[in-house]
Amino acid sequence: MALLVVKDVFKSFDIKSIAAVDHLSFSIQNNEIVSVIGPSGTGKSTIVKIISGLLDFQSGSVLFAGKELVTHQSKNESLLRKISYVPQELSLDESKTVLENIGINLVEENEEKRHHLIRDMVETFGLQYKDHKFPSELSTGQKGRVEMAKALVTNPKLLILDEPFANLDRSLRNELKEELLEILKERKISAIVVTHDLEDAYSHSDRILVLSDGKIKQFSGASDIYLRPHDAWVAKFSGTANLMAGKVLEVNGDDYLQENKLGKFSLRCFDSKVKKESFAYMLIRPEACIISENGSFKGKLKKLVHMGSFYEGQVQMGGIEKFKILINHGQKFKVGQSLRFDIDSSQCQLLSI
């Protein structure tokens, strides 16, 4: 049985406006970490607030462990206590100590058990020497750990993170998320993580839910979002993509022959909408382009963008102005220089137009 089932949920903030959440349906399993990604204003925070019981909606329902959690008419408060929601902005009470903040949502009458649960979180998040301090006396990272401890002290079955680390620098954000993921896996807690950061989503998710205009564009394994996007929109949103339009000349089982500006290519296709004689995109990721002195394709390097561990080069060739390839640090190229490369078609695929 799925832990969480969202069934045909619809939400609009204005009757005349476009739906913020447009009849969404999906499920999340036990011990699963799911990231929700998509452009700004596409319904990511809206759907997690609905699941958390913080936002009313017009129709549909959400089930938790087979029971109704929230509908457009009712909320199951006892079930909602099994879910912890962490907002975008830190919600610590500045007038309370670390210990008091951690226990603020803990409903436990037995003082000894309550103390044990709070101390467990203090030790889990390495806050032993900060427990009597106030938020104003803590570093940003320590505040983040208190926020996580506060969310987990109730021993939830589902943790919802609505971009709580968005304002942290990357190194601190990675440190906190790595700590949190270890704890979630160890305690078998499922999580929904709203994020704008694709690297975060790829690195810590079992599955990724891609939203656009309040609708699901794709919901699949983290690697499939990048390697097997359902359409051109997901391909472009999930990473740098060269899309070469052309006609599908032949289809032989799993082998598709397409012709575009670069030539003829034998390609894979996971898109059932692509048929023989139809026009489709050839998806070429930058890493599928292998620089070689004797490469089949030649172009002029028009732009070189430093991406940290590699460079992204924009190449002009023929009628193509901004064809993007990956250039390693050891490959010494300058803007204006000509280069040659091959395309590994086994790393490419066809997508419907």
Side-chain angles (χ1 to χ4, degrees):
M1 180 191 297
L3 176 67
L4 184 82
V5 179
V6 175
K7 298 174 67 175
D8 199 32
V9 168
F10 176 85
K11 167 68 178 179
S12 175
F13 289 101
D14 186 327
I15 294 174
K16 296 181 180 179
S17 72
I18 297 172
V21 170
D22 196 356
H23 299 286
L24 289 191
S25 295
F26 62 91
S27 62
I28 292 174
Q29 305 303 314
N30 285 292
N31 310 327
E32 184 176 37
I33 296 174
V34 171
S35 284
V36 183
I37 64 173
S40 298
T42 199
K44 301 185 299 296
S45 290
T46 300
I47 189 59
V48 295
K49 285 179 180 177
I50 287 172
I51 293 169
S52 304
L54 301 173
L55 198 60
D56 294 333
F57 53 105
Q58 280 85 357
S59 63
S61 62
V62 180
L63 306 182
F64 188 84
K67 299 178 181 179
E68 280 195 347
L69 178 70
V70 290
T71 71
H72 63 289
Q73 297 176 320
S74 63
K75 298 177 183 178
N76 187 326
E77 296 295 343
S78 63
L79 277 183
L80 283 170
R81 283 196 287 271
K82 296 181 182 294
I83 297 174
S84 281
Y85 170 81
V86 182
Q88 292 180 4
E89 300 296 330
L90 294 177
S91 59
L92 301 181
D93 188 331
E94 295 291 335
S95 68
K96 297 184 183 298
T97 65
V98 165
L99 284 176
E100 292 169 332
N101 266 290
I102 292 174
I104 201 166
N105 295 324
L106 184 59
V107 180
E108 176 55 62
E109 295 180 359
N110 185 306
E111 276 302 315
E112 184 177 346
K113 187 175 181 181
R114 179 185 177 86
H115 178 76
H116 173 75
L117 291 170
I118 294 173
R119 293 305 309 180
D120 176 49
M121 285 294 105
V122 167
E123 293 176 13
T124 297
F125 286 94
L127 296 165
Q128 290 93 327
Y129 303 105
K130 308 293 180 182
D131 47 3
H132 293 293
K133 292 186 176 294
F134 292 89
S136 60
E137 301 175 282
L138 303 177
S139 68
T140 303
Q142 289 164 349
K143 289 179 183 178
R145 289 182 175 87
V146 176
E147 194 74 58
M148 293 302 100
K150 174 183 166 184
L152 294 181
V153 72
T154 58
N155 193 28
K157 295 297 181 184
L158 176 65
L159 177 66
I160 295 178
L161 301 170
D162 192 358
E163 296 193 270
F165 306 129
N167 297 323
L168 303 183
D169 63 77
R170 178 173 290 277
S171 61
L172 180 55
R173 185 166 73 240
N174 289 342
E175 181 183 329
L176 285 175
K177 284 197 172 181
E178 284 178 14
E179 288 180 24
L180 180 60
L181 289 174
E182 286 183 15
I183 294 166
L184 293 178
K185 289 298 184 182
E186 179 185 312
R187 302 193 177 207
K188 297 181 179 180
I189 299 172
S190 298
I192 300 175
V193 184
V194 175
T195 181
H196 275 95
D197 193 308
L198 284 172
E199 286 186 23
D200 279 357
Y202 287 139
S203 64
H204 67 235
S205 309
D206 295 309
R207 289 192 292 166
I208 296 176
L209 179 68
V210 185
L211 291 181
S212 177
D213 295 329
K215 296 181 179 180
I216 296 175
K217 295 292 290 185
Q218 186 166 341
F219 188 26
S220 55
S223 61
D224 284 346
I225 298 296
Y226 187 80
L227 298 175
R228 294 190 178 189
H230 285 180
D231 58 27
W233 189 93
V234 175
K236 288 188 287 186
F237 185 80
S238 61
T240 303
N242 299 295
L243 296 172
M244 303 303 300
K247 189 175 184 180
V248 179
L249 303 177
E250 295 179 18
V251 177
N252 294 310
D254 295 331
D255 186 34
Y256 289 67
L257 182 66
Q258 188 229 31
E259 184 175 24
N260 58 53
K261 286 183 179 180
L262 298 177
K264 293 181 181 179
F265 297 86
S266 179
L267 301 163
R268 303 172 301 163
C269 182
F270 309 107
D271 189 337
S272 60
K273 295 188 289 295
V274 176
K275 308 290 184 184
K276 183 179 179 179
E277 301 296 321
S278 68
F279 280 83
Y281 287 122
M282 177 183 177
L283 168 61
I284 308 170
R285 298 288 192 188
E287 61 271 20
C289 302
I290 315 300
I291 294 175
S292 168
E293 289 183 6
N294 302 313
S296 303
F297 304 96
K298 181 181 179 181
K300 180 178 285 188
L301 189 60
K302 302 296 289 184
K303 189 175 182 180
L304 202 56
V305 181
H306 185 228
M307 305 297 288
S309 59
F310 63 92
Y311 289 96
E312 183 180 275
Q314 289 187 9
V315 176
Q316 180 187 53
M317 51 180 182
I320 305 170
E321 292 295 321
K322 296 180 180 179
F323 191 88
K324 296 178 180 179
I325 65 173
L326 187 149
I327 300 175
N328 293 316
H329 283 287
Q331 297 169 315
K332 304 298 183 182
F333 289 98
K334 296 180 179 180
V335 173
Q337 187 176 350
S338 294
L339 53 76
R340 303 189 75 95
F341 62 93
D342 289 310
I343 295 174
D344 181 0
S345 60
S346 69
Q347 296 187 50
C348 305
Q349 62 185 284
L350 286 179
L351 296 170
S352 57
I353 292 179

